[in-house]
């Protein structure tokens, strides 16, 4: 049975792919975005879709959506480190006020609320790989805290709503995700490396590149999020790809795949940059029957094709 969903942050990288997925299976979608880090171009292909509507609003101020709802998905937050470091207060507001408004909207309509939380709640983890039972190692006053603590607060608020008011909720902890529609100036590692390689510029590895990340292709990530949306568990559930690479390995893979002549240069490591990150997805496998299926090379090839076919390869500044 099809439903009607609000996607807060629906014009962002992940949000827009979620809109596509829900519309593709016959649902109605109301995208709410203030276009601060999301882009109109991510949803222009949907503008004539009869089941799609767009509301321009800052979700930390209001979520002006009327009519019946099946679910409210909260994807509205700056998510790239350069983005949230440039918007500390907006990021905290999206996690706190935005989450509260989304929860209240869901509660009013007896809809399910899906929170896009993050592997950043684990901070620089002492436990590896990270299981959902690990409480994390976060610097509460460091520059990254505006994102980490906003998401940790959002999780606490979401659980409190569920416990006190019985709101139907699900919490996804999203690990590093990449794919088409990453903004060229997003500043994240995959967009930076691919664009640098395509432009023949040096790839900027921060630190010695021994830090690790586990990268999930966007189609896999969205399938996991929708599986959690359709399930009746609260989570939190890790949704990510457990294949782990050092940042240096990633840079070398990008150079190889693109056939680029780019060199690799080292730049200073950002403060509190987590040294390693890898999801334990046992829970997602057993409770959602989900696991990623797209390998790194395949995902990078598709993402490179997106950048090569877009203005991204020649304009915009990798951050
Ligand atoms: N990174 C890098 N070069 C870049 C961008 C990022 O070496 O041009 C590193 C960054 O320091 C981190 C990893 O790549 O260790 C992932 O960074 P990203 O900003 O994509 O996301 P994060 O996992 O830090 O939220």
């Amino acid at each position: 049975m099809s439903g009607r969903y609000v996607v807060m942050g629906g014009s962002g990288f992940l949000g827009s792919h979620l809109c596509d997925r829900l519309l593709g299976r016959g649902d109605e979608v109301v995208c709410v975005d203030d276009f601060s880090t999301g882009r109109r171009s991510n949803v222009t292909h949907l503008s004539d879709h009869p089941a799609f509507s767009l509301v321009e609003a800052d979700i930390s101020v209001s979520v002006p959506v009327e009519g019946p709802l099946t679910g409210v998905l909260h994807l509205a937050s700056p998510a790239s480190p350069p983005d949230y470091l440039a918007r500390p207060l907006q990021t905290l507001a999206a996690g706190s006020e935005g989450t509260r408004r989304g929860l209240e909207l869901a509660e009013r309509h007896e809809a399910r609320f899906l929170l896009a939380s993050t592997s950043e709640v684990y901070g620089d983890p002492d436990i590896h790989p990270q299981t959902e039972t690990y409480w994390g190692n976060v610097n509460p006053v460091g520059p990254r805290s505006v994102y980490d603590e906003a998401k940790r607060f959002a999780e606490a608020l979401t659980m409190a709503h569920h416990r006190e008011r019985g709101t139907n909720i699900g919490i996804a902890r999203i690990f590093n995700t990449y794919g088409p529609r990453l903004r060229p100036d997003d500043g994240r590692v995959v967009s930076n490396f691919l664009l640098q390689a395509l432009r023949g510029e040096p790839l900027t590895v921060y630190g010695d590149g021994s830090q690790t990340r586990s990268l999930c292709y966007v189609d896999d990530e969205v399938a996991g999020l929708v599986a959690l949306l359709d399930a009746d568990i609260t989570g939190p559930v890790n949704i990510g790809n457990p294949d782990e690479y050092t940042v240096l390995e990633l840079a070398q893979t990008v150079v190889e795949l693109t056939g680029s002549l780019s060199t690799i240069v080292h730049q200073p490591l950002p403060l509190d940059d987590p040294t390693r990150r890898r999801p334990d997805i046992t829970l997602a496998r057993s409770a959602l029957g989900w696991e990623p299926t797209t390998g790194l090379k395949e995902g990078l090839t598709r993402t490179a094709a997106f950048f090569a076919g877009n203005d991204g390869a020649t304009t915009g500044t990798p951050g």
Side-chain angles (χ1 to χ4, degrees), residues 8 32-34 55-65 97-98 100-102 105 108:
M8 294 161 47
V32 182
D33 211 295
D34 68 353
V55 174
E56 184 165 353
D58 173 353
I59 50 92
S60 65
V61 178
S62 71
V63 189
V65 176
E97 269 306 291
R100 183 176 72 77
R101 288 178 195 282
L105 183 66
R108 271 202 305 283

Side-chain angles (χ1 to χ4, degrees), residues 129 173-178 213-218 220-221 238-245 277-281 285 290-297 299:
R173 290 189 178 148
I174 298 172
F175 285 65
N176 296 64
T177 302
Y178 68 100
R213 292 295 186 272
S214 304
L215 298 161
C216 191
Y217 187 65
V218 65
D220 286 335
E221 186 66 41
N238 289 337
I239 308 282
N241 189 322
D243 293 343
E244 182 183 7
Y245 300 87
R277 184 180 287 159
R278 177 185 181 189
D280 180 319
I281 60 164
R285 281 195 177 107
W290 171 87
E291 64 181 355
T293 57
T294 313
L296 182 67
K297 287 191 178 167

Side-chain angles (χ1 to χ4, degrees), residues 13-43:
F13 163 56
L14 267 179
S16 64
H17 283 280
L18 268 167
C19 291
D20 286 342
R21 183 68 62 112
L22 293 172
L23 289 165
R25 68 176 197 177
D27 292 320
E28 257 185 77
V29 170
V30 184
C31 165
V32 182
D33 211 295
D34 68 353
F35 304 108
S36 54
T37 56
R39 293 194 295 174
R40 277 179 204 277
S41 59
N42 285 344
V43 291

Side-chain angles (χ1 to χ4, degrees), residues 66-305:
E66 305 293 335
L69 291 176
T70 318
V72 177
L73 291 73
H74 184 5
L75 279 293
S77 173
S80 154
D83 280 348
Y84 63 69
L85 294 172
R87 298 170 173 81
L89 296 175
Q90 181 190 332
T91 303
L92 284 159
S96 54
E97 269 306 291
T99 303
R100 183 176 72 77
R101 288 178 195 282
L103 280 162
E104 287 175 359
L105 183 66
E107 184 193 15
R108 271 202 305 283
H109 293 275
E110 294 182 16
R112 181 161 166 84
F113 178 79
L114 184 82
L115 175 69
S117 185
T118 170
S119 57
E120 282 278 332
V121 300
Y122 301 122
D124 190 10
D126 299 317
I127 300 286
H128 195 74
Q130 291 79 58
T131 51
E132 291 86 350
T133 49
Y134 175 53
W135 292 354
N137 176 35
V138 171
N139 175 357
V141 292
R144 289 178 92 98
S145 67
V146 297
Y147 187 65
D148 302 9
E149 298 292 8
K151 293 289 189 180
R152 289 168 69 97
F153 178 83
E155 287 197 12
L157 187 61
T158 301
M159 285 310 296
H161 237 268
H162 173 66
R163 292 192 180 107
E164 193 176 323
R165 302 198 191 169
T167 312
N168 179 355
I169 64 105
I171 300 174
R173 290 189 178 148
I174 298 172
F175 285 65
N176 296 64
T177 302
Y178 68 100
R181 298 191 198 148
L182 273 172
R183 282 195 348 255
D185 62 347
D186 176 277
R188 274 182 279 200
V189 69
V190 171
S191 41
N192 275 8
F193 285 180
L194 279 174
L195 284 166
Q196 288 160 343
L198 291 171
R199 293 169 181 164
E201 294 167 2
L203 272 63
T204 52
V205 168
Y206 300 160
D208 63 7
S210 63
Q211 70 272 32
T212 69
R213 292 295 186 272
S214 304
L215 298 161
C216 191
Y217 187 65
V218 65
D219 289 355
D220 286 335
E221 186 66 41
V222 165
L225 294 175
V226 171
L228 179 57
L229 178 66
D230 291 342
D232 60 1
I233 57 167
T234 60
V237 186
N238 289 337
I239 308 282
N241 189 322
D243 293 343
E244 182 183 7
Y245 300 87
T246 68
V247 166
L248 192 57
E249 282 168 343
L250 177 66
Q252 287 158 347
T253 305
V254 166
V255 170
E256 206 181 287
L257 262 182
T258 53
S260 171
L261 299 175
S262 291
T263 55
I264 290 175
V265 295
H266 292 269
Q267 291 187 357
L269 193 65
L271 196 61
D272 295 337
D273 197 273
T275 51
R276 56 188 178 167
R277 184 180 287 159
R278 177 185 181 189
D280 180 319
I281 60 164
T282 308
L283 179 60
R285 281 195 177 107
S286 63
L288 305 177
W290 171 87
E291 64 181 355
T293 57
T294 313
L296 182 67
K297 287 191 178 167
E298 187 187 342
L300 285 177
T301 303
R302 289 192 212 164
T303 312

